[in-house]
């Protein structure tokens, strides 16, 4: 085995989750203070919606995806730098590392509102107006989040969608309002809930 194994530790697991929470809250507080529209997206948005139904079904994720307007990038950079983040670009993704020694794996990753993440995606990302106020941050609306997950449709996106289906956040009644490729993908998950 080529990796160094540390002792098993509940504390390390708890610290990993807390680090994501602290990073997300520090970043969103900086954007709020600067008056920059945003919405938490990705796995943390899924976790926020899932927790509204069953907190035991929440999955953790190490990075924080935030939906913003590209035109706000200079103001975002200033706000996040003031909060201790360091701008970077990794594999064409604009991100902000948590300090000079931060890792891209647990960085703040920006998604640009109304733009396609990949040319092959049928739809662009949500707009920053498609958001809901959570307790102390803004989160992508459920419908916009589902669209974004159906767009990407990677293994983790399919798992997130299965979680939402299993809890009744999404169901077959959504099919008629989706673009054909998204409807086909959602039907696939409905037909095969265990993958």
């Amino acid at each position: 085995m080529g990796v160094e194994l540390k002792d098993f530790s509940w504390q390390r697991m708890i610290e990993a989750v807390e680090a994501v929470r602290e990073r997300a809250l520090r970043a969103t507080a900086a954007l709020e203070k600067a008056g920059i529209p945003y919405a938490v997206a990705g796995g943390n948005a899924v976790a926020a919606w899932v927790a509204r139904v069953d907190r035991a079904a929440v999955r953790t994720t190490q990075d924080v995806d935030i939906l913003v307007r590209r035109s706000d990038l200079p103001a975002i950079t200033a706000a996040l730098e003031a909060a201790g983040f360091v701008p970077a670009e990794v594999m064409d993704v604009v991100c902000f590392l948590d300090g000079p020694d931060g890792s891209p794996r647990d960085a703040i990753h920006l998604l640009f509102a109304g733009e396609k993440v990949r040319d092959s995606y049928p739809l662009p990302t949500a707009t920053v107006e498609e958001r809901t106020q959570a307790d102390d941050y803004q989160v992508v609306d459920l419908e916009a989040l589902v669209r974004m997950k159906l767009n990407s449709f990677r293994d983790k996106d399919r798992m997130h969608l299965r979680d939402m289906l299993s809890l009744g956040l999404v169901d077959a009644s959504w099919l008629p309002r989706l673009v054909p490729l998204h409807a086909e993908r959602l039907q696939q998950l409905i037909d095969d809930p265990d993958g």
Side-chain angles (χ1 to χ4, degrees):
M1 190 183 289
V3 297
E4 177 190 343
L5 295 175
K6 297 179 173 66
D7 292 337
F8 287 105
S9 168
W10 280 107
Q11 188 59 38
R12 227 184 343 272
M13 290 187 284
I14 292 165
E15 287 169 359
V17 173
E18 272 302 306
V20 173
R21 179 182 174 278
E22 184 278 332
R23 190 176 306 115
L25 291 178
R26 186 161 36 100
T28 56
L31 297 175
E32 293 271 355
K33 182 178 177 185
I36 300 166
Y38 74 91
V40 172
N44 285 294
V46 172
W49 282 101
V50 164
R52 295 185 72 185
V53 179
D54 181 359
R55 73 178 187 177
V58 170
R59 294 179 193 273
T60 60
T61 184
Q62 75 258 16
D63 63 356
V64 179
D65 294 328
I66 299 182
L67 181 72
V68 293
R69 292 184 187 124
R70 186 179 292 276
S71 60
D72 289 332
L73 189 54
I76 292 163
T77 300
L80 293 180
E81 282 182 327
F85 294 99
V86 177
E89 188 167 324
V90 179
M91 294 173 30
D92 296 327
V93 174
V94 176
C95 61
F96 288 82
L97 308 179
D98 196 355
D101 298 323
S103 165
R105 288 185 59 158
D106 56 11
I108 303 295
H109 296 170
L110 299 187
L111 297 171
F112 293 111
E115 296 183 17
K116 287 187 177 184
V117 174
R118 301 206 187 306
D119 289 338
S120 60
Y121 286 7
L123 295 175
T125 62
T127 68
V128 291
E129 290 76 26
E130 294 177 277
R131 64 184 180 189
T132 299
Q133 177 68 49
D135 49 359
D136 44 11
Y137 59 93
Q138 303 283 331
V139 65
V140 174
D141 283 343
L142 183 59
E143 189 164 336
L145 179 61
V146 169
R147 262 193 342 260
M148 291 168 71
K149 289 290 171 183
L150 288 167
N151 246 356
S152 299
F153 214 58
R154 300 161 298 179
D155 285 345
K156 65 181 173 180
D157 300 306
R158 290 191 296 272
M159 185 55 64
H160 286 149
L161 288 159
R162 283 187 177 102
D163 289 346
M164 291 187 279
L165 281 162
S166 73
L167 296 172
L169 285 164
V170 182
D171 58 31
S173 70
W174 286 58
L175 294 168
R177 63 183 188 233
L178 298 172
V179 298
L181 180 59
H182 286 182
E184 178 184 317
R185 288 175 173 179
L186 184 60
Q187 186 66 61
Q188 175 187 331
L189 297 176
I190 291 168
D191 292 343
D192 186 13
D194 297 323

